[in-house]
Amino acid sequence: RASKPKEVSGVLLGWDPSNTAPYGLLEADLRVLSKVAATLPSEFLEHFEVHGVDGRRASKIVKVYLENDRPLVLETIIAPTSCLAGLVMKDHRHDNIYKIIEVGYQARIARITQRVRVRTATEEEAMALQIGRNSHILAVDRILFGGRSAVAVIRLAYPDLDRGFIEEARSPLGTAGISR
C-alpha cells in the first residue's frame, strides 16, 4: 500500500541543478565516517513515497568536511534502496551525490528543493562535529527529485552558524526562488 508523502513544513527554496555547483567546499578535507544500510528514519518519510515495509530500506552515508582538522560541516545522505540501490557501495570520497546519481545511475536530477533552519544538534551530529549536545547548528536539507518523487535527501549540519549562513548565502542556492 502506498502512503502519500506529507507536505514539508517551512519555506523551501528550489533551483535548477543543471546550472548549480553542488558544493563550495573544494578545499576542505573529506572523510567518510560511515556507509550503512538502514531503515528509513520516520523524519524522512515526508519526502518519499513508501510502499510497504521493504520501501523503508535505505542507504545512509555520513561524511564530514574538515578545515585544519576542525569539522566544518557534516553531510548525511539518506536514500531509499528502491530509488538508489547499492548507494553504500559507491565511492563517496571522490564523487558527490549529484555526480553519483547522474553518472553512476544514469539518472537525471529533475529539481532540488532546500529547507534551512537553526536547531539543536542530535547526539550523532554533536559527536561528529565535536560540539556540545545542546549546541545549535544550521541545518540544511536538500531534497533531490528524479522526476515527480524524491530520490535522496542531503542533510548538511554546520556547527558554526555564522560560517554556515555565509556558505549558504555565497552558494547559488542562496539566490534560489521559493518553490511551493
Side-chain angles (χ1 to χ4, degrees):
R1 187 181 119 211
S3 61
K4 278 224 167 244
K6 294 178 191 169
E7 190 172 331
V8 177
S9 61
V11 175
L12 288 175
L13 302 177
W15 71 97
D16 178 358
S18 65
N19 61 10
T20 300
Y23 294 109
L25 302 168
L26 300 177
E27 301 300 315
D29 178 30
L30 167 64
R31 291 191 193 152
V32 177
L33 301 183
S34 65
K35 300 195 301 181
V36 297
T39 300
L40 192 64
S42 57
E43 66 181 308
F44 289 94
L45 291 177
E46 63 185 350
H47 302 301
F48 303 104
E49 184 160 338
V50 173
H51 298 268
V53 176
D54 284 350
R56 293 201 60 184
R57 285 192 309 207
S59 298
K60 181 180 178 186
I61 295 95
V62 181
K63 305 186 268 187
V64 66
Y65 294 84
L66 302 159
E67 190 175 63
N68 300 323
D69 284 333
R70 192 174 134 251
L72 186 64
V73 62
L74 184 71
E75 176 186 21
T76 304
I77 300 167
I78 297 282
T81 304
S82 57
C83 296
L84 301 175
L87 186 62
V88 293
M89 303 303 290
K90 304 290 184 186
D91 191 344
H92 290 265
R93 292 168 303 163
H94 302 296
D95 288 333
N96 63 50
I97 187 65
Y98 304 88
K99 187 173 178 185
I100 288 171
I101 291 173
E102 294 193 329
V103 176
Y105 287 91
Q106 300 293 301
R108 185 177 166 275
I109 298 172
R111 82 187 152 95
I112 306 166
T113 59
Q114 172 171 285
R115 177 172 53 189
V116 181
R117 59 199 158 128
V118 174
R119 62 168 172 78
T120 304
T122 65
E123 193 171 327
E124 180 184 34
E125 289 166 336
M127 191 180 318
L129 292 170
Q130 300 169 14
I131 58 177
R133 289 172 74 181
N134 293 322
S135 298
H136 284 90
I137 58 168
L138 177 68
V140 179
D141 286 353
R142 295 181 183 159
I143 303 102
L144 281 57
F145 292 85
R148 295 180 65 181
S149 60
V151 295
V153 171
I154 302 168
R155 172 165 287 170
L156 300 174
Y158 293 91
D160 180 343
L161 295 180
D162 291 336
R163 174 77 184 257
F165 279 114
I166 289 168
E167 290 289 343
E168 286 304 303
R170 230 187 343 216
S171 76
L173 323 182
T175 58
I178 293 177
S179 173
R180 297 280 175 217

